[in-house]
Amino acid sequence: MGKNTVSLRGKHILGLEDFTPEEIRLVLETAKEMKNIIHRDIKKVPALRGKSIVTLFYEPSTRTRTSFELAGKYLGADVVNITAGASSIVKGESLRDTLYTIEAMGVDAIVMRHKAEGAAEYASHVVTPVILNAGDGAHAHPSQGLLNLFTVEQHKGRLEGLKVAILGDVLHSRVARSDIHGMRKMGMEVHIAGPRTLLPRFLCEEPGIFIHDRIEEAIAGADVIEVLRIQLERMKGGLFPTTREYARIYGLNAKRLALAKEDALILHPGPMNKGWEISPAVAYGTQSAIQEEVQNGVAVRMALFTLVLTGGKQE
Ligand code: CP
């Protein structure tokens, strides 16, 4: 496919299953340019002047909401945030009516997080602004998947052929699902390990994914290790004995990290349960790119806004 034929203009960003490798490549290349803007003294360009963006969050967020907001502002857009608890949603307004209300104000894009899987896709069918999924239940978190790819490539200089170990609570993780789609499309070898009770059944049948009972097997020789947060808030209980047991059997600590390649990169989408799924020494160690992921999140979200609202450099 010729480079100039790839465009994301007007595309709803719902999940990485909808992306081609060429589209992912376009986002990663654009994000590189955007990262330069973040490092300037004056972080402001007029690329999205006159565009308006609403972030609509039905679930809590620190990184995703703030970085989408900053991304829009650095590009000169007007950005307004709506959190469910401080809106007419608490008076019982439905998702559809909330979306209609936002649309009526003439916005160009809606960044949306919702506990229901498929909520972002639903929004894309009922209103005209471009929808960017900032997390829908356990289904997808595409911008996190893209920022993980971007972070890995910045360190390793490539994606194809790298071995990644994804550890822990895959069952509740929209990040893991987006990672798996994105990493497979970009030619990475995906190994998954964690308690069987936290591994979705469909993964065991997915071609090209290696499932391990012991995390040591997944970590051995890995170039990248992504540790997932234990999502206690989505569990009704009983999926593993205690957090102490979890840390003992499945936690990433320095001893287990030593099984990976010497320069293996550590990712975690945050927020972390330090001492459970990851030890503080590993989380803050020299191989950790966890803070860098946060900064790269701004660059990748700037790239997404530019590409979906203007077509970016392809124009
Ligand atoms: N990674 C991530 O989605 O973090 P937040 O919940 O803080 O947005």
Side-chain angles (χ1 to χ4, degrees), residues 195-256:
R196 283 274 162 173
T197 49
L198 294 178
L199 290 180
R201 193 181 293 265
F202 81 90
L203 268 186
C204 304
E205 285 134 34
E206 196 76 12
I209 294 179
F210 302 87
I211 307 285
H212 306 274
D213 286 321
R214 297 179 63 247
I215 71 162
E216 288 81 356
E217 292 165 8
I219 294 170
D223 299 283
V224 179
I225 303 173
E226 171 151 48
V227 185
L228 301 172
R229 182 171 71 86
I230 303 171
Q231 299 195 33
L232 284 180
E233 77 277 17
R234 297 191 202 273
M235 295 182 201
K236 295 186 177 72
L239 294 178
F240 57 88
T242 62
T243 50
R244 195 176 158 145
E245 273 300 285
Y246 185 98
R248 193 175 66 75
I249 302 170
Y250 301 107
L252 183 65
N253 53 32
K255 191 171 164 202
R256 291 190 173 124

Short mmCIF file of all heavy atoms in Angstrom, two decimals, residues 195-256:
data_model
loop_
_atom_site.label_atom_id
_atom_site.label_comp_id
_atom_site.label_asym_id
_atom_site.label_seq_id
_atom_site.Cartn_x
_atom_site.Cartn_y
_atom_site.Cartn_z
N PRO A 195 -2.78 -16.11 36.54
CA PRO A 195 -3.68 -17.15 37.04
C PRO A 195 -4.69 -17.53 35.96
O PRO A 195 -5.21 -16.65 35.28
CB PRO A 195 -4.39 -16.47 38.22
CG PRO A 195 -3.60 -15.26 38.53
CD PRO A 195 -2.85 -14.87 37.30
N ARG A 196 -4.96 -18.81 35.81
CA ARG A 196 -5.95 -19.26 34.79
C ARG A 196 -7.30 -18.57 34.97
O ARG A 196 -8.03 -18.34 34.01
CB ARG A 196 -6.13 -20.78 34.86
CG ARG A 196 -4.99 -21.56 34.22
CD ARG A 196 -5.20 -21.74 32.73
NE ARG A 196 -3.92 -22.09 32.08
CZ ARG A 196 -3.82 -22.44 30.80
NH1 ARG A 196 -4.85 -22.47 30.01
NH2 ARG A 196 -2.65 -22.74 30.30
N THR A 197 -7.63 -18.25 36.23
CA THR A 197 -8.91 -17.59 36.50
C THR A 197 -8.95 -16.17 35.94
O THR A 197 -10.01 -15.56 35.85
CB THR A 197 -9.15 -17.52 38.02
OG1 THR A 197 -7.97 -17.00 38.65
CG2 THR A 197 -9.51 -18.88 38.60
N LEU A 198 -7.77 -15.63 35.59
CA LEU A 198 -7.72 -14.27 35.06
C LEU A 198 -7.32 -14.24 33.58
O LEU A 198 -6.90 -13.21 33.06
CB LEU A 198 -6.74 -13.42 35.89
CG LEU A 198 -7.17 -13.16 37.34
CD1 LEU A 198 -6.10 -12.37 38.09
CD2 LEU A 198 -8.50 -12.42 37.41
N LEU A 199 -7.42 -15.41 32.93
CA LEU A 199 -7.14 -15.48 31.48
C LEU A 199 -8.44 -15.76 30.75
O LEU A 199 -9.09 -16.77 31.01
CB LEU A 199 -6.16 -16.61 31.18
CG LEU A 199 -4.72 -16.44 31.64
CD1 LEU A 199 -3.90 -17.67 31.25
CD2 LEU A 199 -4.09 -15.20 31.04
N PRO A 200 -8.87 -14.89 29.85
CA PRO A 200 -10.11 -15.16 29.11
C PRO A 200 -9.93 -16.38 28.21
O PRO A 200 -8.88 -16.56 27.60
CB PRO A 200 -10.33 -13.89 28.29
CG PRO A 200 -9.07 -13.12 28.35
CD PRO A 200 -8.22 -13.64 29.47
N ARG A 201 -10.97 -17.20 28.15
CA ARG A 201 -10.91 -18.45 27.40
C ARG A 201 -10.55 -18.24 25.93
O ARG A 201 -9.78 -19.00 25.36
CB ARG A 201 -12.28 -19.14 27.50
CG ARG A 201 -12.30 -20.57 27.05
CD ARG A 201 -13.70 -21.11 27.19
NE ARG A 201 -14.10 -21.20 28.59
CZ ARG A 201 -13.99 -22.31 29.32
NH1 ARG A 201 -13.53 -23.39 28.77
NH2 ARG A 201 -14.36 -22.33 30.56
N PHE A 202 -11.08 -17.15 25.32
CA PHE A 202 -10.87 -16.97 23.88
C PHE A 202 -9.38 -16.88 23.52
O PHE A 202 -8.96 -17.27 22.44
CB PHE A 202 -11.61 -15.71 23.37
CG PHE A 202 -10.88 -14.42 23.62
CD1 PHE A 202 -9.99 -13.91 22.70
CD2 PHE A 202 -11.10 -13.70 24.80
CE1 PHE A 202 -9.32 -12.71 22.92
CE2 PHE A 202 -10.42 -12.51 25.03
CZ PHE A 202 -9.54 -12.02 24.10
N LEU A 203 -8.57 -16.38 24.47
CA LEU A 203 -7.15 -16.20 24.18
C LEU A 203 -6.45 -17.51 23.91
O LEU A 203 -5.52 -17.59 23.12
CB LEU A 203 -6.46 -15.52 25.36
CG LEU A 203 -6.38 -14.01 25.35
CD1 LEU A 203 -5.55 -13.55 26.52
CD2 LEU A 203 -5.79 -13.51 24.04
N CYS A 204 -6.92 -18.55 24.60
CA CYS A 204 -6.27 -19.87 24.49
C CYS A 204 -6.42 -20.41 23.07
O CYS A 204 -5.67 -21.29 22.66
CB CYS A 204 -6.84 -20.84 25.51
SG CYS A 204 -6.70 -20.18 27.18
N GLU A 205 -7.42 -19.91 22.33
CA GLU A 205 -7.64 -20.40 20.96
C GLU A 205 -7.10 -19.44 19.91
O GLU A 205 -7.19 -19.68 18.71
CB GLU A 205 -9.15 -20.60 20.72
CG GLU A 205 -9.69 -21.84 21.41
CD GLU A 205 -10.98 -21.58 22.15
OE1 GLU A 205 -11.77 -20.77 21.66
OE2 GLU A 205 -11.17 -22.20 23.22
N GLU A 206 -6.55 -18.31 20.34
CA GLU A 206 -6.08 -17.28 19.42
C GLU A 206 -4.76 -17.72 18.78
O GLU A 206 -3.81 -18.07 19.50
CB GLU A 206 -5.87 -16.00 20.23
CG GLU A 206 -5.75 -14.74 19.44
CD GLU A 206 -7.08 -14.22 18.90
OE1 GLU A 206 -8.16 -14.70 19.32
OE2 GLU A 206 -7.02 -13.35 18.05
N PRO A 207 -4.67 -17.72 17.43
CA PRO A 207 -3.41 -18.13 16.83
C PRO A 207 -2.29 -17.12 17.11
O PRO A 207 -2.55 -15.92 17.21
CB PRO A 207 -3.73 -18.17 15.32
CG PRO A 207 -4.94 -17.36 15.15
CD PRO A 207 -5.69 -17.35 16.45
N GLY A 208 -1.08 -17.62 17.27
CA GLY A 208 0.07 -16.74 17.44
C GLY A 208 0.23 -16.18 18.83
O GLY A 208 1.05 -15.29 19.04
N ILE A 209 -0.55 -16.68 19.79
CA ILE A 209 -0.39 -16.22 21.17
C ILE A 209 0.02 -17.42 22.02
O ILE A 209 -0.56 -18.50 21.91
CB ILE A 209 -1.70 -15.61 21.70
CG1 ILE A 209 -2.00 -14.34 20.92
CG2 ILE A 209 -1.60 -15.30 23.20
CD1 ILE A 209 -3.27 -13.66 21.33
N PHE A 210 1.03 -17.23 22.83
CA PHE A 210 1.55 -18.31 23.66
C PHE A 210 1.09 -18.11 25.10
O PHE A 210 1.35 -17.05 25.68
CB PHE A 210 3.09 -18.33 23.59
CG PHE A 210 3.60 -18.49 22.18
CD1 PHE A 210 3.79 -17.37 21.36
CD2 PHE A 210 3.88 -19.74 21.66
CE1 PHE A 210 4.25 -17.51 20.05
CE2 PHE A 210 4.34 -19.90 20.35
CZ PHE A 210 4.52 -18.77 19.55
N ILE A 211 0.39 -19.10 25.64
CA ILE A 211 -0.13 -19.00 27.01
C ILE A 211 0.73 -19.86 27.93
O ILE A 211 1.05 -21.01 27.59
CB ILE A 211 -1.59 -19.52 27.08
CG1 ILE A 211 -2.48 -18.82 26.04
CG2 ILE A 211 -2.15 -19.40 28.50
CD1 ILE A 211 -2.88 -17.42 26.36
N HIS A 212 1.10 -19.31 29.08
CA HIS A 212 1.93 -20.03 30.05
C HIS A 212 1.26 -20.00 31.42
O HIS A 212 0.66 -18.99 31.80
CB HIS A 212 3.31 -19.38 30.18
CG HIS A 212 4.02 -19.22 28.87
ND1 HIS A 212 4.80 -20.21 28.30
CD2 HIS A 212 4.06 -18.18 27.99
CE1 HIS A 212 5.30 -19.78 27.15
NE2 HIS A 212 4.85 -18.56 26.93
N ASP A 213 1.41 -21.09 32.17
CA ASP A 213 0.90 -21.11 33.54
C ASP A 213 1.87 -20.41 34.48
O ASP A 213 1.46 -19.76 35.44
CB ASP A 213 0.69 -22.55 34.02
CG ASP A 213 -0.55 -23.16 33.36
OD1 ASP A 213 -1.54 -22.42 33.21
OD2 ASP A 213 -0.51 -24.34 32.97
N ARG A 214 3.16 -20.55 34.21
CA ARG A 214 4.17 -19.94 35.08
C ARG A 214 4.72 -18.68 34.40
O ARG A 214 5.11 -18.72 33.23
CB ARG A 214 5.31 -20.93 35.37
CG ARG A 214 4.82 -22.17 36.13
CD ARG A 214 5.94 -23.16 36.40
NE ARG A 214 6.97 -22.59 37.26
CZ ARG A 214 8.22 -22.34 36.87
NH1 ARG A 214 8.61 -22.61 35.63
NH2 ARG A 214 9.09 -21.83 37.71
N ILE A 215 4.76 -17.58 35.17
CA ILE A 215 5.19 -16.34 34.52
C ILE A 215 6.66 -16.40 34.13
O ILE A 215 7.08 -15.73 33.19
CB ILE A 215 4.88 -15.07 35.35
CG1 ILE A 215 5.76 -14.94 36.58
CG2 ILE A 215 3.42 -14.97 35.73
CD1 ILE A 215 5.74 -13.50 37.12
N GLU A 216 7.42 -17.25 34.80
CA GLU A 216 8.84 -17.38 34.46
C GLU A 216 9.02 -17.81 33.01
O GLU A 216 9.95 -17.37 32.32
CB GLU A 216 9.53 -18.39 35.38
CG GLU A 216 9.72 -17.93 36.83
CD GLU A 216 8.49 -18.09 37.70
OE1 GLU A 216 7.42 -18.51 37.18
OE2 GLU A 216 8.57 -17.80 38.90
N GLU A 217 8.12 -18.69 32.54
CA GLU A 217 8.22 -19.17 31.14
C GLU A 217 7.96 -18.03 30.16
O GLU A 217 8.58 -17.94 29.10
CB GLU A 217 7.21 -20.28 30.89
CG GLU A 217 7.51 -21.56 31.63
CD GLU A 217 6.30 -22.50 31.66
OE1 GLU A 217 5.29 -22.23 30.98
OE2 GLU A 217 6.37 -23.50 32.40
N ALA A 218 7.00 -17.18 30.50
CA ALA A 218 6.69 -16.05 29.60
C ALA A 218 7.82 -15.02 29.60
O ALA A 218 8.17 -14.44 28.57
CB ALA A 218 5.38 -15.39 30.02
N ILE A 219 8.41 -14.82 30.77
CA ILE A 219 9.46 -13.79 30.92
C ILE A 219 10.77 -14.20 30.26
O ILE A 219 11.51 -13.34 29.75
CB ILE A 219 9.69 -13.49 32.42
CG1 ILE A 219 8.45 -12.85 33.05
CG2 ILE A 219 10.91 -12.58 32.62
CD1 ILE A 219 8.51 -12.76 34.57
N ALA A 220 11.05 -15.51 30.24
CA ALA A 220 12.37 -15.98 29.77
C ALA A 220 12.71 -15.42 28.39
O ALA A 220 11.99 -15.63 27.41
CB ALA A 220 12.38 -17.51 29.72
N GLY A 221 13.79 -14.66 28.31
CA GLY A 221 14.26 -14.11 27.03
C GLY A 221 13.41 -12.99 26.46
O GLY A 221 13.60 -12.61 25.31
N ALA A 222 12.50 -12.43 27.27
CA ALA A 222 11.60 -11.39 26.74
C ALA A 222 12.36 -10.09 26.50
O ALA A 222 13.27 -9.72 27.24
CB ALA A 222 10.44 -11.15 27.70
N ASP A 223 11.93 -9.36 25.44
CA ASP A 223 12.44 -8.01 25.16
C ASP A 223 11.62 -6.96 25.90
O ASP A 223 12.11 -5.87 26.20
CB ASP A 223 12.34 -7.71 23.66
CG ASP A 223 13.14 -8.67 22.82
OD1 ASP A 223 14.36 -8.52 22.78
OD2 ASP A 223 12.54 -9.60 22.24
N VAL A 224 10.36 -7.29 26.13
CA VAL A 224 9.42 -6.34 26.75
C VAL A 224 8.55 -7.13 27.73
O VAL A 224 8.12 -8.25 27.42
CB VAL A 224 8.50 -5.69 25.68
CG1 VAL A 224 7.51 -4.74 26.33
CG2 VAL A 224 9.31 -5.00 24.60
N ILE A 225 8.31 -6.55 28.91
CA ILE A 225 7.40 -7.17 29.87
C ILE A 225 6.34 -6.14 30.21
O ILE A 225 6.67 -5.04 30.69
CB ILE A 225 8.12 -7.60 31.16
CG1 ILE A 225 9.27 -8.57 30.83
CG2 ILE A 225 7.14 -8.25 32.14
CD1 ILE A 225 10.14 -8.91 32.02
N GLU A 226 5.09 -6.46 29.95
CA GLU A 226 4.02 -5.57 30.38
C GLU A 226 3.29 -6.22 31.55
O GLU A 226 2.75 -7.32 31.44
CB GLU A 226 3.03 -5.28 29.27
CG GLU A 226 1.84 -4.52 29.86
CD GLU A 226 1.13 -3.59 28.93
OE1 GLU A 226 0.84 -4.03 27.84
OE2 GLU A 226 0.85 -2.44 29.34
N VAL A 227 3.29 -5.51 32.67
CA VAL A 227 2.60 -5.99 33.87
C VAL A 227 1.23 -5.31 33.92
O VAL A 227 1.15 -4.08 33.76
CB VAL A 227 3.41 -5.65 35.14
CG1 VAL A 227 2.73 -6.27 36.36
CG2 VAL A 227 4.85 -6.14 35.01
N LEU A 228 0.19 -6.08 34.13
CA LEU A 228 -1.17 -5.51 34.18
C LEU A 228 -1.60 -5.26 35.62
O LEU A 228 -1.20 -6.01 36.52
CB LEU A 228 -2.16 -6.46 33.51
CG LEU A 228 -1.88 -6.78 32.04
CD1 LEU A 228 -2.81 -7.88 31.56
CD2 LEU A 228 -2.02 -5.53 31.17
N ARG A 229 -2.43 -4.27 35.79
CA ARG A 229 -2.98 -3.99 37.12
C ARG A 229 -4.01 -5.04 37.50
O ARG A 229 -4.83 -5.43 36.67
CB ARG A 229 -3.65 -2.60 37.11
CG ARG A 229 -4.21 -2.16 38.43
CD ARG A 229 -4.66 -0.71 38.37
NE ARG A 229 -5.85 -0.51 37.57
CZ ARG A 229 -7.10 -0.62 38.01
NH1 ARG A 229 -7.34 -0.97 39.26
NH2 ARG A 229 -8.13 -0.38 37.20
N ILE A 230 -3.95 -5.49 38.75
CA ILE A 230 -5.03 -6.35 39.27
C ILE A 230 -6.23 -5.43 39.47
O ILE A 230 -6.18 -4.49 40.25
CB ILE A 230 -4.65 -6.98 40.62
CG1 ILE A 230 -3.35 -7.78 40.53
CG2 ILE A 230 -5.78 -7.87 41.13
CD1 ILE A 230 -2.83 -8.23 41.89
N GLN A 231 -7.32 -5.72 38.74
CA GLN A 231 -8.47 -4.81 38.76
C GLN A 231 -9.51 -5.30 39.78
O GLN A 231 -10.56 -5.83 39.41
CB GLN A 231 -9.07 -4.69 37.36
CG GLN A 231 -8.05 -4.11 36.38
CD GLN A 231 -8.66 -3.62 35.09
OE1 GLN A 231 -9.78 -3.15 35.04
NE2 GLN A 231 -7.90 -3.73 34.01
N LEU A 232 -9.17 -5.10 41.04
CA LEU A 232 -10.06 -5.58 42.11
C LEU A 232 -11.46 -5.00 41.98
O LEU A 232 -12.44 -5.66 42.32
CB LEU A 232 -9.47 -5.21 43.48
CG LEU A 232 -8.30 -6.06 43.97
CD1 LEU A 232 -7.83 -5.59 45.34
CD2 LEU A 232 -8.64 -7.55 44.01
N GLU A 233 -11.55 -3.77 41.48
CA GLU A 233 -12.87 -3.11 41.40
C GLU A 233 -13.80 -3.80 40.40
O GLU A 233 -15.01 -3.58 40.43
CB GLU A 233 -12.71 -1.62 41.06
CG GLU A 233 -12.41 -1.27 39.61
CD GLU A 233 -10.92 -1.37 39.25
OE1 GLU A 233 -10.16 -2.01 39.98
OE2 GLU A 233 -10.54 -0.82 38.19
N ARG A 234 -13.23 -4.63 39.50
CA ARG A 234 -14.08 -5.34 38.53
C ARG A 234 -14.30 -6.80 38.93
O ARG A 234 -14.91 -7.57 38.20
CB ARG A 234 -13.46 -5.29 37.13
CG ARG A 234 -13.33 -3.89 36.56
CD ARG A 234 -12.97 -3.91 35.09
NE ARG A 234 -12.35 -2.68 34.67
CZ ARG A 234 -13.01 -1.59 34.26
NH1 ARG A 234 -14.33 -1.61 34.21
NH2 ARG A 234 -12.37 -0.51 33.89
N MET A 235 -13.75 -7.21 40.09
CA MET A 235 -13.88 -8.61 40.51
C MET A 235 -14.94 -8.73 41.59
O MET A 235 -15.03 -7.87 42.46
CB MET A 235 -12.56 -9.13 41.10
CG MET A 235 -11.44 -9.19 40.10
SD MET A 235 -9.94 -9.85 40.85
CE MET A 235 -8.71 -9.22 39.70
N LYS A 236 -15.68 -9.81 41.51
CA LYS A 236 -16.66 -10.04 42.58
C LYS A 236 -16.03 -10.88 43.69
O LYS A 236 -16.67 -11.27 44.64
CB LYS A 236 -17.91 -10.72 42.01
CG LYS A 236 -18.66 -9.83 41.03
CD LYS A 236 -19.98 -10.44 40.59
CE LYS A 236 -20.73 -9.47 39.66
NZ LYS A 236 -20.10 -9.35 38.33
N GLY A 237 -14.73 -11.16 43.53
CA GLY A 237 -14.01 -11.93 44.57
C GLY A 237 -13.75 -13.35 44.13
O GLY A 237 -14.37 -13.87 43.20
N GLY A 238 -12.76 -13.97 44.76
CA GLY A 238 -12.53 -15.40 44.56
C GLY A 238 -11.71 -15.79 43.35
O GLY A 238 -11.62 -16.96 43.01
N LEU A 239 -11.06 -14.83 42.65
CA LEU A 239 -10.31 -15.21 41.46
C LEU A 239 -8.85 -15.56 41.76
O LEU A 239 -8.17 -16.16 40.95
CB LEU A 239 -10.40 -14.10 40.40
CG LEU A 239 -11.83 -13.90 39.84
CD1 LEU A 239 -11.86 -12.75 38.85
CD2 LEU A 239 -12.34 -15.16 39.17
N PHE A 240 -8.39 -15.17 42.93
CA PHE A 240 -7.09 -15.66 43.44
C PHE A 240 -7.14 -15.54 44.96
O PHE A 240 -7.92 -14.74 45.50
CB PHE A 240 -5.90 -14.89 42.83
CG PHE A 240 -5.94 -13.41 43.04
CD1 PHE A 240 -5.39 -12.83 44.18
CD2 PHE A 240 -6.51 -12.57 42.09
CE1 PHE A 240 -5.42 -11.47 44.37
CE2 PHE A 240 -6.54 -11.21 42.27
CZ PHE A 240 -6.00 -10.65 43.42
N PRO A 241 -6.31 -16.34 45.68
CA PRO A 241 -6.48 -16.44 47.13
C PRO A 241 -6.30 -15.11 47.87
O PRO A 241 -7.23 -14.62 48.51
CB PRO A 241 -5.41 -17.46 47.54
CG PRO A 241 -5.07 -18.20 46.30
CD PRO A 241 -5.31 -17.28 45.16
N THR A 242 -5.11 -14.53 47.80
CA THR A 242 -4.85 -13.25 48.47
C THR A 242 -3.85 -12.47 47.62
O THR A 242 -3.16 -13.05 46.78
CB THR A 242 -4.19 -13.45 49.86
OG1 THR A 242 -2.91 -14.09 49.65
CG2 THR A 242 -5.04 -14.30 50.79
N THR A 243 -3.77 -11.17 47.84
CA THR A 243 -2.82 -10.38 47.06
C THR A 243 -1.39 -10.80 47.41
O THR A 243 -0.50 -10.73 46.57
CB THR A 243 -3.02 -8.87 47.33
OG1 THR A 243 -3.06 -8.65 48.73
CG2 THR A 243 -4.29 -8.38 46.70
N ARG A 244 -1.19 -11.25 48.65
CA ARG A 244 0.15 -11.71 49.05
C ARG A 244 0.56 -12.96 48.26
O ARG A 244 1.68 -13.07 47.77
CB ARG A 244 0.10 -12.02 50.54
CG ARG A 244 1.45 -12.15 51.17
CD ARG A 244 1.24 -12.36 52.65
NE ARG A 244 2.41 -12.98 53.22
CZ ARG A 244 2.85 -12.73 54.41
NH1 ARG A 244 2.23 -11.89 55.19
NH2 ARG A 244 3.92 -13.35 54.85
N GLU A 245 -0.40 -13.89 48.14
CA GLU A 245 -0.14 -15.10 47.34
C GLU A 245 0.10 -14.73 45.87
O GLU A 245 0.95 -15.30 45.20
CB GLU A 245 -1.35 -16.05 47.42
CG GLU A 245 -1.34 -16.99 48.59
CD GLU A 245 -0.11 -17.89 48.57
OE1 GLU A 245 -0.07 -18.83 47.76
OE2 GLU A 245 0.82 -17.62 49.35
N TYR A 246 -0.71 -13.78 45.37
CA TYR A 246 -0.57 -13.34 43.98
C TYR A 246 0.85 -12.82 43.75
O TYR A 246 1.53 -13.20 42.79
CB TYR A 246 -1.60 -12.25 43.67
CG TYR A 246 -1.61 -11.82 42.22
CD1 TYR A 246 -2.53 -12.36 41.33
CD2 TYR A 246 -0.68 -10.91 41.72
CE1 TYR A 246 -2.53 -11.98 39.99
CE2 TYR A 246 -0.66 -10.53 40.40
CZ TYR A 246 -1.59 -11.06 39.53
OH TYR A 246 -1.58 -10.69 38.22
N ALA A 247 1.31 -11.95 44.68
CA ALA A 247 2.65 -11.37 44.54
C ALA A 247 3.70 -12.48 44.54
O ALA A 247 4.67 -12.44 43.77
CB ALA A 247 2.91 -10.39 45.67
N ARG A 248 3.50 -13.49 45.39
CA ARG A 248 4.49 -14.56 45.53
C ARG A 248 4.59 -15.38 44.22
O ARG A 248 5.67 -15.72 43.78
CB ARG A 248 4.10 -15.47 46.70
CG ARG A 248 5.20 -16.43 47.14
CD ARG A 248 4.78 -17.21 48.38
NE ARG A 248 3.67 -18.12 48.17
CZ ARG A 248 3.75 -19.29 47.53
NH1 ARG A 248 4.89 -19.69 47.04
NH2 ARG A 248 2.68 -20.06 47.38
N ILE A 249 3.44 -15.63 43.60
CA ILE A 249 3.45 -16.53 42.42
C ILE A 249 3.52 -15.76 41.09
O ILE A 249 4.16 -16.21 40.15
CB ILE A 249 2.19 -17.44 42.43
CG1 ILE A 249 2.16 -18.24 43.73
CG2 ILE A 249 2.16 -18.38 41.23
CD1 ILE A 249 0.87 -18.99 43.97
N TYR A 250 2.88 -14.62 41.05
CA TYR A 250 2.75 -13.91 39.76
C TYR A 250 3.36 -12.51 39.73
O TYR A 250 3.34 -11.86 38.69
CB TYR A 250 1.26 -13.81 39.39
CG TYR A 250 0.58 -15.14 39.26
CD1 TYR A 250 -0.32 -15.58 40.23
CD2 TYR A 250 0.86 -15.99 38.19
CE1 TYR A 250 -0.94 -16.83 40.14
CE2 TYR A 250 0.25 -17.23 38.09
CZ TYR A 250 -0.64 -17.64 39.05
OH TYR A 250 -1.24 -18.87 38.96
N GLY A 251 3.86 -12.02 40.85
CA GLY A 251 4.39 -10.65 40.87
C GLY A 251 5.72 -10.56 40.14
O GLY A 251 6.54 -11.49 40.19
N LEU A 252 5.94 -9.42 39.44
CA LEU A 252 7.25 -9.21 38.79
C LEU A 252 8.19 -8.56 39.80
O LEU A 252 7.94 -7.43 40.26
CB LEU A 252 7.10 -8.32 37.55
CG LEU A 252 8.42 -8.12 36.78
CD1 LEU A 252 8.92 -9.44 36.18
CD2 LEU A 252 8.28 -7.05 35.70
N ASN A 253 9.24 -9.30 40.15
CA ASN A 253 10.26 -8.78 41.06
C ASN A 253 11.63 -8.89 40.36
O ASN A 253 11.72 -9.39 39.23
CB ASN A 253 10.25 -9.57 42.39
CG ASN A 253 10.36 -11.07 42.16
OD1 ASN A 253 11.01 -11.50 41.19
ND2 ASN A 253 9.74 -11.87 43.01
N ALA A 254 12.67 -8.43 41.04
CA ALA A 254 14.00 -8.37 40.42
C ALA A 254 14.49 -9.76 40.02
O ALA A 254 15.12 -9.92 38.95
CB ALA A 254 14.98 -7.70 41.37
N LYS A 255 14.18 -10.76 40.83
CA LYS A 255 14.65 -12.11 40.53
C LYS A 255 14.01 -12.63 39.23
O LYS A 255 14.70 -13.20 38.37
CB LYS A 255 14.29 -13.03 41.71
CG LYS A 255 14.95 -14.37 41.64
CD LYS A 255 14.72 -15.13 42.93
CE LYS A 255 15.04 -16.61 42.70
NZ LYS A 255 14.38 -17.47 43.66
N ARG A 256 12.75 -12.40 39.09
CA ARG A 256 12.07 -12.86 37.86
C ARG A 256 12.50 -12.02 36.66
O ARG A 256 12.65 -12.55 35.56
CB ARG A 256 10.55 -12.81 38.05
CG ARG A 256 10.08 -13.86 39.04
CD ARG A 256 8.58 -13.99 39.07
NE ARG A 256 8.22 -15.12 39.90
CZ ARG A 256 7.41 -15.09 40.95
NH1 ARG A 256 6.83 -13.94 41.30
NH2 ARG A 256 7.16 -16.16 41.65
#
